[in-house]
Amino acid sequence: MTPKEVIDYAKKNNALMVDMKFMDLLGTWQHFSVPVSELEEHLFEDGLGFDGSSIRGWQAINASDMLVVPDSTTSVMDPFTAIPTLSMICNIVDPITKEKYSRDPRNIAQKAEAYLKSTGIGDTAFFGPEAEFFLFDDVRYQLTTNSSSYFVDSVEGNWNTGRDEQPNLGYKPRHKEGYFPVSPTDSLQDIRSEMTLLMEKVGMAMECHHHEVATGGQCEIDMRYAPLVQCADQLMWYKYIVKNVAKKHNKSATFMPKPLFADNGSGMHVHQSIWKDGKPLFAGNGYAGISELGLNYIGGVLKHSRALAAFVAPTTNSYKRLIPGFEAPVNLAYSSRNRSAAIRIPMYSPSPKAKRIEARFPDPSCNGYLAFSAMLMAGLDGIENKIDPGEPLDKDIYSLGPEELANIPTLPASLDEALDELEKDHEFLLKGDVFTEDIITRWIEYKRENEIDQLRKRPHPMEFYMYYDI
């Protein structure tokens, strides 16, 4: 929609408020609302002012004034507000220079798309994330000087088979057996359907939804692939809708990668491909029907995976999912059909248009704008430098012995290690000024000071279990 069409759209839908949504550094939507009387065409150029120093990872207090400039093409009616509200995703602009803000994740994603075009390799990068999440019925956690605790519960939790529920009807998925059961074991069908239909209502193309592997309410809803920036926008609508529909049903949704011990965590497998002039570039006559360009893309992603982890698995909790020998792939190999490899080449369809790669180590705690951009830049580095991914590994990697595993590189074992890798390996991200030294330095500093150090300082309940009587 053009700005004028947005104004007409707001009138047609009797909008009374306009909501400005934008992304903070870490990946959480922020917003503020103005009366619809403020919706004039100049708003799409002049923007509105706000305090950038109050947003995580952004401006210093002595340079706090920033502008949000709405993107007219993202206009949609918010499906949750009681007052009819037009919602738009915004870009962040410096009020002095009028340049887009280098720490705005959406700006980074826009620059990644522009860099792809500038290389002449392709004109469109398609991404398709499969974000998993849990729906809990009770969530409690606290941290004090002398105590720490958390508690999550789900009516589906297998740990509740003996609970007096007056009556307890059973039908609680066993650990690691929650994949695809029908109702009544899958008690979340209607909630997921409601989420899916609302996603379609805000303009997302949806493919399917289902219960996921873990007990305790793990779910997945799959959206159709889309160009990079659009896909990252849609991932934010996805999370917004999942959380708000869950709340409507008195449940709580979380995209935290590993909220439960001894069962599967939530990943976000990311399908990706490059196209040019409407033609897929990953289809070819090589291994698994993939082109040399596609193999080089895989080579780039594998080469830089240890650094990419800082963006695609960006929380300390991410590495409780990424443990060798368990459900998430940590070995940096590629294969067709093989879900134990870090990179999989799906083989569902012989159509060249369906040829893509799937990175299986990202998780949904990531900032989609940064994660997708970083993976694209790694893949493009592979294409530009003709990086050979080596031979595919078509074995069950989880069953390999120590000798066979010795020569297969692995992902970092912690966020701290991933940040160290990003410090050493980020030149590929700087091409085309897509990422800047400033944003990489700020990301590393923020994560170390506000996440790693905070966790490191605090005693853990498991430490009391192991060491209290020492």
Side-chain angles (χ1 to χ4, degrees):
M1 282 189 272
T2 65
K4 185 179 184 305
E5 289 171 335
V6 172
I7 294 170
D8 293 340
Y9 175 77
K11 290 178 181 176
K12 178 182 176 182
N13 287 277
N14 300 312
L16 299 177
M17 299 297 296
V18 179
D19 198 50
M20 308 290 185
K21 293 181 172 69
F22 61 95
M23 173 69 74
D24 73 6
L25 180 63
L26 301 185
T28 301
W29 251 355
Q30 311 293 322
H31 82 126
F32 64 90
S33 300
V34 299
V36 76
S37 58
E38 294 290 308
L39 186 63
E40 299 179 359
E41 287 192 55
H42 70 82
L43 180 66
F44 296 89
E45 292 187 9
D46 299 338
L48 292 168
F50 74 102
D51 174 12
S53 69
S54 295
I55 305 301
R56 296 182 299 176
W58 278 14
Q59 292 292 87
I61 196 168
N62 60 308
S64 60
D65 288 356
M66 301 295 287
L67 294 173
V68 292
V69 179
D71 181 342
S72 64
T73 66
T74 66
S75 300
V76 68
M77 294 301 293
D78 192 300
F80 297 106
T81 53
I83 304 300
T85 299
L86 174 72
S87 176
M88 291 185 286
I89 299 174
C90 301
N91 298 312
I92 308 302
V93 172
D94 186 290
I96 307 300
T97 65
K98 301 300 182 182
E99 294 180 352
K100 289 185 175 181
Y101 185 39
S102 64
R103 293 186 184 180
D104 175 14
R106 195 167 192 262
N107 175 35
I108 291 170
Q110 290 168 335
K111 288 191 292 183
E113 286 190 322
Y115 178 72
L116 169 63
K117 293 176 183 177
S118 76
T119 65
I121 293 169
D123 51 39
T124 307
F126 284 115
F127 283 78
E130 300 175 351
E132 298 167 349
F133 55 92
F134 280 86
L135 295 178
F136 291 128
D137 295 288
D138 193 17
V139 183
R140 287 173 269 156
Y141 49 88
Q142 66 172 14
L143 290 169
T144 65
T145 300
N146 67 320
S147 70
S148 62
S149 66
Y150 74 90
F151 176 85
V152 295
D153 202 7
S154 165
V155 70
E156 281 194 358
N158 191 252
W159 55 85
N160 283 325
T161 54
R163 184 171 67 176
D164 183 4
E165 295 179 349
Q166 300 181 352
N168 187 325
L169 301 178
Y171 298 114
K172 302 180 191 301
R174 286 176 287 275
H175 289 283
K176 299 183 181 294
E177 293 186 25
Y179 194 64
F180 280 22
V182 297
S183 176
T185 302
D186 177 5
S187 67
L188 302 169
Q189 166 75 17
D190 289 338
I191 294 177
R192 292 195 308 271
S193 290
E194 183 177 341
M195 292 170 177
T196 302
L197 293 174
L198 276 179
M199 290 174 192
E200 289 189 325
K201 188 175 180 180
V202 300
M204 298 168 61
M206 305 307 296
E207 292 187 337
C208 71
H209 71 74
H210 57 85
H211 204 287
E212 254 300 339
V213 173
T215 190
Q218 191 181 34
C219 299
E220 180 179 316
I221 304 174
D222 293 338
M223 65 178 84
R224 186 165 298 167
Y225 63 88
L228 191 156
V229 174
Q230 181 185 343
C231 184
D233 287 345
Q234 290 181 352
L235 181 60
M236 294 314 300
W237 273 110
Y238 180 105
K239 291 184 175 182
Y240 182 71
I241 288 170
V242 165
K243 291 176 181 178
N244 280 281
V245 171
K247 184 173 182 288
K248 173 186 170 184
H249 291 273
N250 205 31
K251 293 181 182 291
S252 177
T254 182
F255 291 91
M256 182 177 174
K258 190 73 173 181
L260 297 180
F261 170 65
D263 212 334
N264 282 34
S266 291
M268 188 178 76
H269 307 148
V270 181
H271 297 254
Q272 43 204 287
S273 62
I274 295 176
W275 292 47
K276 186 174 185 179
D277 299 328
K279 296 179 180 179
L281 301 184
F282 281 10
N285 299 317
Y287 171 80
I290 200 164
S291 65
E292 182 179 355
L293 181 143
L295 286 172
N296 291 153
Y297 188 100
I298 292 172
V301 173
L302 289 176
K303 177 182 177 180
H304 299 297
S305 285
R306 289 178 60 82
L308 288 176
F311 287 118
V312 306
T315 67
T316 59
N317 186 253
S318 299
Y319 298 86
K320 290 179 169 59
R321 170 181 170 263
L322 295 171
I323 296 177
F326 289 86
E327 81 271 7
V330 299
N331 298 98
L332 297 176
Y334 75 100
S335 180
S336 67
R337 303 176 64 186
N338 185 353
R339 284 173 165 78
S340 66
I343 302 291
R344 183 175 77 97
I345 303 170
M347 300 296 289
Y348 296 126
S349 170
S351 170
K353 293 183 177 180
K355 191 53 63 180
R356 61 198 187 275
I357 73 157
E358 176 193 40
R360 294 183 60 80
F361 53 94
D363 70 57
S365 69
C366 72
N367 180 329
Y369 298 101
L370 300 182
F372 300 160
S373 299
M375 286 187 284
L376 174 62
M377 295 302 289
L380 290 176
D381 186 63
I383 294 170
E384 291 166 338
N385 291 293
K386 298 188 181 301
I387 296 174
D388 184 352
E391 293 299 315
L393 189 59
D394 292 330
K395 300 178 181 179
D396 178 1
I397 299 174
Y398 298 145
S399 66
L400 298 182
E403 291 184 2
E404 290 179 285
L405 288 171
N407 296 320
I408 304 173
T410 63
L411 287 166
S414 68
L415 178 59
D416 206 12
E417 189 180 336
L419 295 174
D420 288 343
E421 293 292 334
L422 180 61
E423 276 186 319
K424 293 185 291 187
D425 177 24
H426 62 259
E427 289 295 322
F428 69 99
L429 297 172
L430 304 179
K431 295 178 182 179
D433 198 39
V434 174
F435 287 77
T436 62
E437 288 282 3
D438 170 72
I439 192 68
I440 291 170
T441 299
R442 185 68 186 112
W443 182 264
I444 292 170
E445 288 176 347
Y446 189 96
K447 288 285 176 177
R448 284 180 175 157
E449 293 171 9
N450 296 280
E451 298 179 28
I452 293 170
D453 286 350
Q454 296 306 313
L455 187 65
R456 183 180 288 151
K457 293 174 185 176
R458 287 166 168 79
H460 189 283
M462 190 65 187
E463 292 175 313
F464 278 83
Y465 180 83
M466 293 188 295
Y467 307 132
Y468 187 77
D469 61 349
I470 225 164

